[in-house]
Amino acid sequence: MIRKRKRKQLAYEQPKTKNEVHFPLESEQTKQAIQEQLQNESSLIFKEVNVQDQTIVVCYISYLIEQTQVDSNLLAPLIDSKEKWTTTRLETNLPIGNGQQYDTIEQVCSQLIKGSVVVYIENEKSAITYSISKNERRSVEKPERESIVVGPQSAFSESLETNLNVVRSRVQSNELVTESFNIGARLPTEVRLVYLKSLANDEDVQTMRQRLNNLKIDDLEDASVLVQYIEDTNKTVFPLFYLTELVDRFSYGVSKGKIGVLVDGSPEAIVAPTTFWGFFESTEDVYFRWSVATFFRMLRFAAMFISFVLTPVYVAVVTYHYEVIPTNLLVTLGESRSQVPFPPILEVLFLELIIELLREAGARLPTKVGQTIGIVGGIVLGQAAVDAGLTSSVLIIVIAMSALASFTAPSYLMGSAVRVIRYPLILLAGLIGLVGVTFGICLLIIHLLKLKSLGRPYFLPVYPFIFKDLDNSLFRLPFSISNRRSIALNTKDPIRYQERKSKKPKDIEDWGE
Amino acid sequence: MIRIVMTLCLVMLSLSGCVPGQQIEQLGIITSYGVDLLDEEEGTLDNTILYTQFDPEAPQPMQTIESTSSTYLDAISAANLKTSYKLVTGHISLKLFGKEMAEKGIMRLLSPHLRDAEEPANIYIAVGEPTAKEILMSKGITDVSKFLDQLFENNIREEILPKSNFMDFVHNVDDPGVDPIQPVITIKNDKPVIDQIGLFQQDQYVASISPDETFLVKLIIEDFRAGKREIILPRAPFDPFIQNDTDEQPKEDLYLTLDEIRSSADISLEDKKQLHYQVNVDLEARLMESSEPIKIDSDKVLNLLETEMSRKFEEQYEQLTNKLKELNVDPIGFGTHYNAETKHEDLTDEKWRELFPTTTINYNVNVNIIRHGVIE
């Protein structure tokens, strides 16, 4: 145990800083130092400009730079100058913003690889960098993993700047804070903590900030990886933070007082804290009328329950509890079972395996092939399995229904979790029948009650029970009644707007007043 | 954590041996059980068992099996020797007793349902005439169990049969001062039909009454919510109100049908010494059909109809009471009212059998026709 911990500490140690090379330097020295620092990058371009008896070094990596900008806004004014250049004149007289001064070669190089141009006047104390980066990035596209019918259709892309841009344009408030963190010692990745200053709970913000600060890792691949590092516990199959690719889902969360995290290079954003019920909320629920939205949300809860209870119950009933089956169903069920040579549990596991294989294969294959696989699997395999006497026809319906139901969860992570917890339940049902299913569900509920998301109970508002919060999670009410923010979130301002004012819409007759 | 998981797995695995598996395709699921008396002195039974089996080759999932035994559970074991399926009783929906068997008392064959939680309690109890075997083996129907089950269910829902399942039966047997009534099934045109309603003394079948008389009993023991009933009145008092009578031959009777019957009844013991009872029955109904075109244009006709009906009902009640007293059975439960009024003497069934024939019962039926159709 002790040895393990020691090894961990060693791994987290920062790489040691080398001897730094400070300015001032000769132009040739600068060139050598930079090349050495960047491992002889072959696209590194050095240009020495002689103006007014000065040697000015302009250096950049060609593929990271907007070449036209360098030519017209940097080189042209540089050469045309009638006066001597100084570092301060460079900063003020060139038509490019964001010029920054650095003293060491190392600092300059770290800017170079981000897409900056370095301008250095020989023998000066510091060099200036301008960020003229050319980012190859996807444009803002339609969501693929969380497709919706009604509502804004923009999804996050891999570029942090684009993502911040679309978030800002949806949350147009000067209260929006985007704190920057650099995570990863060897390959640093920029991470932004996004929240509304006047709304988000300070403790939550502090918790998230602390978790990000305390994270000492080598590199960070994606937002989904970050979630796994900073989640409250990893001993669960349930997702504790909401990962979304929908811009409006993210901005909706932030505008309700939640905390968002954006990771550079990841098309998904993190929203926290989240409750169990939140994973069954779709942004469509807000755009639909309240009655329709409530129906759909209830449908999703029911679907989730069906998804992990239906097959275990089938196994339990067919193996142990024939008394439960209604008399009219008995003959149908018994006859289809009598064709099958396996015990029910093997039959179910076999068919579940087929469905999982189909899903996995469909997800890996290109869209067109994937569709064919879906149809072939669904119709041909199912029919063939029944004909071959491998499964009963009733079970096909049961499995298909529970598989379908698991896909109704708006969060793909939650859908996957529900699919996974079905298997232990099936085993329990096969071992000791409905007693086992009940036992399993009890364990599951206890587990869910103990979970926390960013330090807040995962099962809110059902446990601990908050009556006034039910309309924010289990169902929806008309906006004229549902005028509070979630009490559980403990935001700085719990009321969204005053209740009665907006209640009666103005009619034509009221215009004269 | 690992230790907990390991313990759980171990417990699960070892517990799984404790649960007897009953895979549905290996079961012969008994749906009906019929029993007749084979030998009166030795008390041996002739059992007929209907069960469902799931054999893909068999043309019919419903099967019949016979066995001889002295008890109900032994009957199942004996029958098990004759089939490749494991016979289970968890889905039994009907227990049918041959008339001879029922006359000896049937409670001994029902006690497993009270002792064993796995035996279902929502089963129907009925008497088969002449034997249970003939009814369960009747040729006219493929699935006799299902047929009888639905027959009972529909007729109870339509308020034609009184409630007569296992729980009601046991309740009425165990309560002092009230006797159960159960349907009697006979064969007509190769099909089982409910013909009469059986009267019991405790758990022993005594005699049967017609569905008409059952209506009178049911009117007191259960409240109607939407019943139907035909009633026959003498035609004479209505002659002046019957219009355009095209029929040549004058008839003696007038047939009327009451619909949407709602009733409430209360029994009161007026005199504890003399055992004098007063029974008040309030009955509200729609008049839906009449064999003669009566013109109901005034309250006078309506009142006449109502009083005639009341009188008719009261007459019928007198006849029924005499019959019940003669047989010395009390399905209406006058004894329970006596028991409730006299707290300190514990009423036993034997004592009530002595007292019941000495009672006098006065009936007062109040019919109220609330609507009589939309045709003017």
Side-chain angles (χ1 to χ4, degrees), chain A residues 280 299-315 348-349 351-356 359 394-409 414-423 425-426:
Chain A
F280 301 96
L299 186 77
R300 272 184 234 121
F301 290 139
M304 195 255 336
F305 190 72
I306 285 173
S307 170
F308 71 82
V309 151
L310 197 62
T311 30
V313 164
Y314 173 86
V315 173
V348 165
L349 287 178
L351 208 59
E352 286 278 8
L353 185 73
I354 289 187
I355 291 270
E356 290 298 303
R359 190 189 56 74
V394 178
L395 183 65
I396 297 265
I397 308 280
V398 170
I399 296 268
M401 201 171 153
S402 66
L404 265 186
S406 78
F407 289 117
T408 57
M414 187 46 107
S416 316
V418 166
R419 272 205 302 282
V420 170
I421 54 173
R422 198 155 63 202
Y423 289 94
L425 276 180
I426 291 175

Side-chain angles (χ1 to χ4, degrees), chain A residues 318-320 322-328 330-331 333-335 337-340 342-344 428 431-432 439 443, chain B residues 8 12-13 15-16 19-25 27 29 31 52 54-56 61-62 88-91 118 146 150:
Chain A
V318 170
T319 322
Y320 297 104
Y322 70 95
E323 298 98 332
V324 179
I325 309 168
T327 319
N328 294 334
L330 204 62
V331 178
L333 210 57
E335 276 183 349
R337 266 295 301 160
S338 65
Q339 318 262 356
V340 185
F342 312 120
L428 277 174
L431 287 177
I432 50 175
F439 177 72
L443 273 190
Chain B
L8 272 179
M12 281 295 142
L13 281 175
L15 272 181
S16 68
V19 193
Q22 294 177 317
Q23 283 183 28
I24 184 171
E25 70 273 15
L27 301 178
I29 294 166
T31 49
T52 309
F54 309 111
D55 185 357
M62 302 358 155
V88 287
T89 54
H91 243 289
E118 278 184 26
K146 194 177 173 185
Q150 287 181 356

Side-chain angles (χ1 to χ4, degrees), chain B residues 150-214:
Chain B
Q150 287 181 356
L151 186 73
F152 287 127
E153 199 185 316
N154 283 333
N155 282 304
I156 289 172
R157 198 188 300 138
E158 291 298 311
E159 305 192 309
I160 297 167
L161 281 184
K163 284 177 191 155
S164 51
N165 72 9
F166 173 68
M167 298 314 277
D168 301 310
F169 180 79
V170 173
H171 188 259
N172 288 342
V173 169
D174 282 354
D175 254 14
V178 62
D179 290 315
I181 44 176
Q182 301 296 334
V184 177
I185 299 171
T186 51
I187 297 272
K188 268 183 192 158
N189 298 330
D190 277 349
K191 282 184 182 173
V193 291
I194 299 174
D195 188 38
Q196 299 265 301
I197 308 297
L199 296 173
F200 282 69
Q201 273 184 349
Q202 303 293 87
D203 64 336
Q204 290 170 337
Y205 173 75
V206 180
S208 64
I209 53 175
S210 68
D212 288 357
E213 290 164 316
T214 312

Side-chain angles (χ1 to χ4, degrees), chain A residues 61-359:
Chain A
I61 300 173
S62 60
Y63 54 75
L64 287 177
I65 295 297
E66 206 71 68
Q67 190 67 45
T68 49
Q69 275 225 34
V70 177
D71 292 345
S72 57
N73 294 343
L74 194 116
L75 289 176
L78 211 60
I79 292 170
D80 289 349
S81 173
K82 299 282 182 293
E83 291 174 48
K84 277 205 166 194
W85 288 105
T86 59
T87 311
T88 36
R89 260 203 80 211
L90 279 178
E91 218 175 352
T92 49
N93 282 29
L94 283 182
I96 315 174
N98 62 48
Q100 275 183 308
Q101 295 196 22
Y102 292 101
D103 299 337
T104 65
I105 289 288
E106 282 75 22
Q107 287 173 332
V108 165
C109 284
S110 69
Q111 291 302 309
L112 264 178
I113 55 170
K114 282 181 188 166
S116 293
V117 177
V118 178
V119 181
Y120 177 57
I121 306 165
E122 212 175 16
N123 293 327
E124 286 278 336
K125 275 182 188 165
S126 57
I128 292 198
T129 64
Y130 302 98
S131 174
I132 318 178
S133 62
K134 176 174 71 178
N135 274 2
E136 292 301 337
R137 60 174 74 131
R138 250 181 343 135
S139 55
V140 178
E141 283 171 10
K142 275 191 163 190
E144 293 226 330
R145 277 142 294 169
E146 301 169 57
S147 31
I148 50 171
V149 184
V150 186
Q153 296 281 344
S154 53
F156 285 123
S157 70
E158 278 83 1
S159 153
L160 181 64
E161 276 177 38
T162 320
N163 292 351
L164 281 170
N165 182 311
V166 285
V167 169
R168 274 274 181 204
S169 66
R170 279 196 64 86
V171 189
Q172 292 193 342
S173 157
N174 47 10
E175 309 240 340
L176 188 73
V177 185
T178 63
E179 280 177 40
S180 175
F181 296 83
N182 265 316
I183 289 176
R186 196 175 304 281
L187 307 173
T189 306
E190 192 177 358
V191 170
R192 289 289 180 105
L193 179 63
V194 184
Y195 58 90
L196 274 180
K197 181 123 198 170
S198 59
L199 212 56
N201 181 271
D202 285 337
E203 268 176 53
D204 285 358
V205 175
Q206 186 52 32
T207 314
M208 190 57 113
R209 195 182 286 141
Q210 213 163 6
R211 283 187 193 178
L212 290 174
N213 274 330
N214 291 351
L215 192 62
K216 297 280 178 279
I217 49 171
D218 208 33
D219 58 346
L220 183 64
E221 289 89 355
D222 189 59
S224 48
V225 180
L226 180 64
V227 166
Q228 293 176 47
Y229 280 122
I230 61 174
E231 262 178 338
D232 296 60
T233 174
N234 48 21
K235 288 179 188 139
T236 178
V237 290
F238 294 100
L240 297 177
F241 294 164
Y242 204 107
L243 268 173
T244 181
E245 60 163 353
L246 288 174
V247 178
D248 67 323
R249 169 135 214 158
F250 183 83
S251 58
Y252 180 75
V254 169
S255 68
K256 294 284 166 292
K258 291 189 179 178
I259 297 158
V261 176
L262 290 166
V263 178
D264 192 18
S266 169
E268 288 189 321
I270 305 167
V271 183
T274 320
T275 64
F276 177 72
W277 316 104
F279 286 93
F280 301 96
E281 274 172 45
S282 162
T283 37
E284 280 183 331
D285 291 357
V286 182
Y287 306 136
F288 276 131
R289 304 185 66 81
W290 68 273
S291 40
V292 181
T294 299
F295 171 76
F296 283 144
R297 201 174 288 180
M298 293 291 168
L299 186 77
R300 272 184 234 121
F301 290 139
M304 195 255 336
F305 190 72
I306 285 173
S307 170
F308 71 82
V309 151
L310 197 62
T311 30
V313 164
Y314 173 86
V315 173
V317 162
V318 170
T319 322
Y320 297 104
H321 315 283
Y322 70 95
E323 298 98 332
V324 179
I325 309 168
T327 319
N328 294 334
L329 201 64
L330 204 62
V331 178
T332 335
L333 210 57
E335 276 183 349
S336 75
R337 266 295 301 160
S338 65
Q339 318 262 356
V340 185
F342 312 120
I345 182 162
L346 285 186
E347 185 195 6
V348 165
L349 287 178
F350 173 71
L351 208 59
E352 286 278 8
L353 185 73
I354 289 187
I355 291 270
E356 290 298 303
L357 287 180
L358 276 175
R359 190 189 56 74

Side-chain angles (χ1 to χ4, degrees), chain B residues 5-22:
Chain B
V5 173
M6 290 296 282
T7 331
L8 272 179
C9 287
L10 208 69
V11 168
M12 281 295 142
L13 281 175
S14 47
L15 272 181
S16 68
C18 303
V19 193
Q22 294 177 317

